[in-house]
Amino acid sequence: MDTQPSIKINYLLGIATFIGLSVLNIAAWFLFFNPKGVMRLYTPMYGFSMVVILLAMVITVTDLFDCWPLRQKKGEKISPVQGMLLVVITLILTWVVMFGLFHNLIGKYGITYFSPSAIVATGETGTEIFNARENSSTALIYLFAAYIWIAIGWKTSFKRWPWNSENLATVGFSRLMTVSLLSVLAYSVLFHPHVGYLFSPPQKLAAVAPWWESMADTGSAYYHLGWVVCTVAILIMSESLWEGYPWRSIARKEGSLAGGIFTFLGSVITGFVMMLVMKKVMDFYWGAPFVGGQYLDAPYFRYLHAGEMAGFLILATFVVSIYLGNLLSGSSLIVRIMVRTVAVVIIASLLMWFYYAAGPLFLGTVPGIAQPEDTPLCWSFFMISFVLIHRYFFNAAPIQTQP
């Protein structure tokens, strides 16, 4: 995911562009997700699943296919008309995947919990439409969170390996098949056990009991969602801010098996450590969580909140790398890395403040932290989708067109 601009950025123009994009995002949020808005799709899992699938499709078009078929060669510039077509393609893919593939094909003829109507049709306890839709959406969130992680991980770690000499179409479909297979495997082990236990009675013959419960003090797969999002943050920060380090010492520019494995596993370990560090800070600030605790005291919330903070870090990384031109270019490597990282932490803190302090006014979110009706990942992923669309489909205009 190459987010570093190739030309010098006018900081004021970059900031103004990001603010303008944020206004557009808030308007779209009011139309689709604001609980007091027009369509009110944020329930929250139903709206969250749409946003996660939207982001997954944006990453599919950009990271896996490099905007093929509208771009035939890597590096070709996308015109505004082509950008609009890519937006339409992405939205259509989002609708087809969520409602066509999962709600009406896989859910009805394969795995029941991927379709709200299929869950309701079972007539089991607690399968009224709202709960059915929320549980189905939870499964989709987990599956496509795994997909996003593997897709970004593959592009960042393995790059074009082993298809270095192939055209964009071949590379795109090869990546898609590989990422899809690995995503299903990751979902099956990390998330499926939790989904099986959402129902009454638990689906013991189809899903094992959450195997991580004894070490995490929770059977919730938020435990895995937390370190997965932290891992994605590490991958994006490494490529965008740290110029490929620390993996660059082994990884090759065109990609390789050894470099890919080193980068992928290293990012997983670092992401897991990031989650644990965040949790330790929360434990110090709020006190130790305990089994059966609610809201701030719930162990599962601490892991989810680590992922939520990582979501703000990802968004802040794009702000620095795209709209602020990565800040420094002529200083030493260590100075560049430190300045960029500190800037990202500051901007992520401001974004978090905006969400919790101004979110109830501008986004219609529930006031306070740890509310079960709310997760900041939905808005941060939605905003990241806007940023990536702006960057890749519209060349980050107008900042990328300035001399």
Side-chain angles (χ1 to χ4, degrees):
M1 184 176 290
D2 178 16
T3 58
Q4 299 185 48
S6 57
I7 57 176
K8 197 170 182 178
I9 296 294
N10 180 311
Y11 291 157
L12 291 179
L13 180 60
I15 293 171
T17 302
F18 178 71
I19 292 175
L21 192 66
S22 301
V23 172
L24 181 62
N25 173 271
I26 292 172
W29 181 274
F30 181 82
L31 175 61
F32 294 106
F33 302 118
N34 192 315
K36 299 178 182 179
V38 180
M39 299 187 69
R40 306 177 184 181
L41 299 175
Y42 186 56
T43 56
M45 291 302 177
Y46 186 51
F48 191 11
S49 64
M50 291 182 181
V51 169
V52 174
I53 295 175
L54 171 65
L55 179 57
M57 294 304 103
V58 172
I59 289 171
T60 298
V61 173
T62 57
D63 275 19
L64 301 189
F65 283 89
D66 290 311
C67 297
W68 179 88
L70 297 186
R71 173 187 284 156
Q72 295 298 316
K73 294 181 181 179
K74 188 173 179 60
E76 280 185 350
K77 193 172 182 179
I78 299 294
S79 70
V81 173
Q82 289 175 319
M84 288 302 302
L85 286 175
L86 286 171
V87 171
V88 172
I89 290 171
T90 302
L91 293 176
I92 291 174
L93 284 174
T94 301
W95 188 90
V96 169
V97 167
M98 182 168 183
F99 297 103
L101 181 60
F102 282 93
H103 281 196
N104 290 295
L105 179 60
I106 295 176
K108 287 188 176 180
Y109 301 103
I111 303 173
T112 306
Y113 65 59
F114 280 124
S115 170
S117 60
I119 294 174
V120 172
T122 65
E124 297 291 339
T125 304
T127 56
E128 51 85 25
I129 185 60
F130 180 83
N131 284 336
R133 195 174 68 176
E134 292 296 278
N135 288 339
S136 173
S137 298
T138 300
L140 289 173
I141 290 167
Y142 287 155
L143 176 59
F144 283 93
Y147 179 91
I148 290 169
W149 164 44
I150 299 295
I152 291 177
W154 187 275
K155 175 67 180 299
T156 305
S157 304
F158 295 93
K159 305 185 187 304
R160 289 175 64 91
W161 182 89
W163 310 287
N164 294 323
S165 60
E166 303 296 335
N167 57 43
L168 292 185
T170 301
V171 173
F173 282 109
S174 299
R175 283 175 176 165
L176 177 63
M177 295 300 103
T178 303
V179 168
S180 297
L181 172 61
L182 295 177
S183 300
V184 170
L185 292 175
Y187 169 80
S188 299
V189 175
L190 302 177
F191 299 106
H192 171 68
H194 176 200
V195 178
Y197 273 65
L198 289 175
F199 302 95
S200 181
Q203 308 300 300
K204 295 181 179 180
L205 296 180
V208 302
W211 50 265
W212 56 87
E213 188 167 7
S214 60
M215 60 178 126
D217 290 330
T218 178
S220 172
Y222 284 160
Y223 174 66
H224 299 298
L225 186 64
W227 68 257
V228 162
V229 180
C230 286
T231 298
V232 172
I234 290 294
L235 287 166
I236 292 175
M237 291 173 74
S238 172
E239 186 176 34
S240 301
L241 307 177
W242 307 334
E243 302 179 26
Y245 288 98
W247 335 112
R248 188 173 174 179
S249 57
I250 291 180
R252 290 158 55 183
K253 186 176 181 179
E254 67 274 15
S256 66
L257 178 60
I261 293 175
F262 173 70
T263 301
F264 191 81
L265 293 181
S267 66
V268 168
I269 294 171
T270 310
F272 194 81
V273 170
M274 175 191 280
M275 181 188 75
L276 293 182
V277 170
M278 288 181 174
K279 181 180 178 297
K280 287 294 183 182
V281 173
M282 286 183 270
D283 292 351
F284 175 80
Y285 188 76
W286 287 319
F290 53 89
V291 177
Q294 300 296 314
Y295 302 102
L296 295 174
D297 295 324
Y300 68 82
F301 167 73
R302 305 289 175 93
Y303 301 117
L304 173 64
H305 195 50
E308 292 170 345
M309 290 188 287
F312 288 119
L313 283 173
I314 294 170
L315 179 55
T317 298
F318 288 132
V319 173
V320 169
S321 62
I322 298 173
Y323 300 100
L324 297 181
N326 248 344
L327 292 177
L328 295 176
S329 59
S331 304
S332 67
L333 175 65
I334 188 65
V335 171
R336 293 198 301 270
I337 289 176
M338 290 180 63
V339 170
R340 293 167 184 169
T341 304
V342 169
V344 162
V345 172
I346 293 173
I347 293 173
S349 300
L350 292 174
L351 289 169
M352 186 181 298
W353 171 84
F354 165 80
Y355 185 86
Y356 286 115
L361 175 63
F362 291 102
L363 304 173
T365 55
V366 180
I369 300 176
Q371 297 294 336
E373 298 86 3
D374 176 51
T375 172
L377 274 177
C378 186
W379 178 74
S380 62
F381 278 14
F382 193 47
M383 189 65 206
I384 289 168
S385 299
F386 271 61
V387 169
L388 294 181
I389 287 172
H390 181 228
R391 169 68 179 92
Y392 289 102
F393 296 176
F394 298 100
N395 304 300
I399 59 176
Q400 296 288 60
T401 59
Q402 298 302 302

